[in-house]
């Protein structure tokens, strides 16, 4: 079921994750604690999965939605709880405590907060990405189409699905301009992705994102990069950003390309099949019971 995590690749904006050094919980003493080193700060559906694989190849430990969602009731439950609550500092402490030093799509919406925390800190690198609006928006819509069944009952009766839904609404409704969660907007984006309001919200976020990013890239060229997989960027660009010497960089290896939309569509059909079965099986059971009881009554009358 791990592939179900791809459902969350539809996040509005992708971002940075911080391992807060001033944790009051003493996380620094944890054996797995890792300070933040790399922040994916691009849109969802612009290569986050591939970049995560590339960073892992370079020795980082990235946290992607493909790991959070399947474990949202288990090992990553607390991380998801912080996201649902919109608690950025709690999320960053938990991320660091769990040993992740590179954040990807599901931490994405908090990139504005994290940039302000790490602006000018050359030990924390930011990766921005771009994709033309129409294909990006269509890709987002197709991914959220995958998610649709868990926004409805009977799926919502399933604890895992209900938490994924609340998780999705919270991160989709997070406003990186003011740091607030708007649940109404979040529900609109998750439930009615292709609607006119959803398109307007995405367009506005898209435009404002690049206004802010262009300024960052000009002012902090050593801390941030515009990474474009479709333009052929790969290990060379990543290594230059994180200051890995060229002789130690796997420049001759093909850069990973993962996170297929085809797989997500299959997930969508699977969720819909299960949804139909959730309705159909109880109906069949009730029908069989009714038939059995009716048959027994007829038999008693005949006797």
């Amino acid at each position: 079921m791990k592939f179900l995590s791809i459902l969350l690749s539809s996040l509005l904006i992708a971002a940075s994750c911080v391992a807060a050094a001033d944790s009051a919980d003493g996380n620094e003493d944890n054996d797995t604690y890792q300070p933040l080193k790399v922040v994916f700060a691009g849109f969802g559906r612009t290569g986050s999965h591939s970049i995560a694989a590339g960073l892992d190849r370079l020795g980082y430990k990235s946290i992607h939605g493909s790991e959070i969602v399947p474990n949202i009731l288990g090992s990553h439950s607390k991380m998801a709880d912080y996201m649902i609550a919109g608690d950025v500092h709690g999320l960053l402490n938990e991320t660091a405590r769990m040993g992740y030093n590179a954040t990807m799509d599901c931490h994405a919406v908090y990139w504005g907060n994290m940039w302000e925390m790490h602006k000018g800190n050359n030990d924390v690198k930011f990766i921005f990405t771009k994709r033309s609006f129409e294909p990006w928006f269509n890709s987002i819509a197709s991914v959220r189409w995958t998610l649709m069944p868990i926004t409805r009952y009977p799926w919502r009766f399933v604890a895992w699905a209900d938490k994924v839904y609340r998780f999705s609404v919270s991160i989709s409704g997070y406003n990186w301009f003011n740091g607030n969660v708007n649940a109404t907007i979040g529900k609109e984006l998750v439930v009615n992705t292709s609607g006119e309001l959803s398109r307007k919200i995405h367009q506005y976020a898209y435009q404002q994102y690049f206004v802010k990013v262009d300024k960052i890239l000009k002012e902090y060229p050593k801390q941030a990069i515009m990474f474009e997989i479709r333009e052929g960027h790969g290990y060379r660009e990543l290594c230059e950003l994180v200051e890995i010497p060229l002789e130690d960089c796997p420049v001759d290896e093909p850069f990973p390309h993962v996170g297929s939309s085809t797989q997500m569509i299959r997930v969508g059909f699977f969720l819909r099949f299960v949804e139909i079965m959730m309705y159909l099986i109880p109906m069949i059971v009730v029908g069989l019971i009714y038939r059995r009881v009716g048959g027994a009554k007829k038999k008693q009358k005949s006797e």
Side-chain angles (χ1 to χ4, degrees), residues 19-36:
D22 58 350
S23 167
D25 298 326
N27 286 335
E28 297 88 338
D29 297 328
N30 191 303
D31 289 340
T32 62
Y33 184 91
Q34 282 286 331
L36 182 69

Side-chain angles (χ1 to χ4, degrees), residues 11-16 40-42 44 104-112 114:
L11 301 185
L12 214 83
I13 304 164
S16 74
F40 173 80
M104 308 308 299
D105 61 335
C106 283
H107 288 66
V109 292
Y110 312 110
W111 82 269
M114 295 180 237

Side-chain angles (χ1 to χ4, degrees), residues 147-264:
L147 183 66
M148 283 299 296
I150 69 168
T151 68
R152 305 184 290 255
Y153 291 97
W155 260 113
R156 291 285 304 281
F157 287 120
V158 179
W160 173 85
D162 183 64
K163 189 164 185 177
V164 170
Y165 170 71
R166 291 185 289 111
F167 174 81
S168 302
V169 167
S170 180
I171 56 182
S172 295
Y174 187 84
N175 187 331
W176 57 272
F177 297 108
N178 58 29
N180 296 323
V181 175
N182 188 320
T184 301
I185 293 298
K187 289 178 182 177
E188 178 69 19
L189 296 179
V190 171
V191 175
N192 189 23
T193 303
S194 299
E196 190 58 30
L197 177 59
S198 176
R199 175 177 285 273
K200 288 180 180 179
I201 292 171
H202 281 81
Q203 284 179 325
Y204 180 74
Y206 184 91
Q207 292 165 358
Q208 293 301 310
Y209 170 81
F210 285 110
V211 169
K212 187 174 180 69
V213 168
D214 288 345
K215 184 178 180 181
I216 290 173
L217 292 173
K218 290 177 182 177
E219 295 181 1
Y220 301 90
K222 292 185 177 181
Q223 191 181 359
I225 186 178
M226 180 61 73
F227 192 87
E228 300 183 67
I229 293 178
R230 289 170 179 78
E231 296 298 320
H233 288 185
Y235 284 117
R236 182 182 296 273
E237 288 73 18
L238 279 186
C239 288
E240 289 177 356
L241 176 68
V242 299
E243 302 177 38
I244 293 177
L246 193 60
E247 58 269 22
D248 297 327
C249 183
V251 291
D252 295 329
E253 295 182 16
F255 196 73
H257 289 276
V258 293
S260 168
S261 59
T262 301
Q263 190 177 26
M264 285 180 279

Side-chain angles (χ1 to χ4, degrees), residues 32-140:
T32 62
Y33 184 91
Q34 282 286 331
L36 182 69
K37 295 180 180 179
V38 180
V39 169
F40 173 80
F43 287 93
R45 301 306 300 153
T46 60
S48 64
H49 219 146
S50 298
I51 293 171
L55 288 171
D56 289 345
R57 170 65 180 84
L58 295 179
Y60 293 91
K61 186 177 180 183
S62 63
I63 176 62
H64 194 274
S66 57
E67 192 166 358
I68 297 174
V69 175
N71 300 297
I72 202 165
L73 294 179
S75 58
H76 291 62
S77 178
K78 195 171 183 180
M79 184 181 290
D81 288 339
Y82 284 126
M83 290 186 179
I84 291 171
D87 183 348
V88 180
H89 287 282
L91 169 65
L92 303 182
N93 285 333
E94 179 66 10
T95 301
R97 185 193 67 78
M98 294 184 71
Y100 298 108
N101 57 18
T103 60
M104 308 308 299
D105 61 335
C106 283
H107 288 66
V109 292
Y110 312 110
W111 82 269
N113 305 70
M114 295 180 237
W115 172 253
E116 292 303 319
M117 294 175 185
H118 292 284
K119 180 169 58 178
N121 178 5
N122 206 40
D123 291 331
V124 180
K125 308 293 186 176
F126 283 72
I127 300 174
F128 297 102
T129 58
K130 72 164 60 172
R131 185 177 181 183
S132 299
F133 178 78
E134 285 300 328
W136 169 70
F137 180 75
N138 292 335
S139 182
I140 290 290

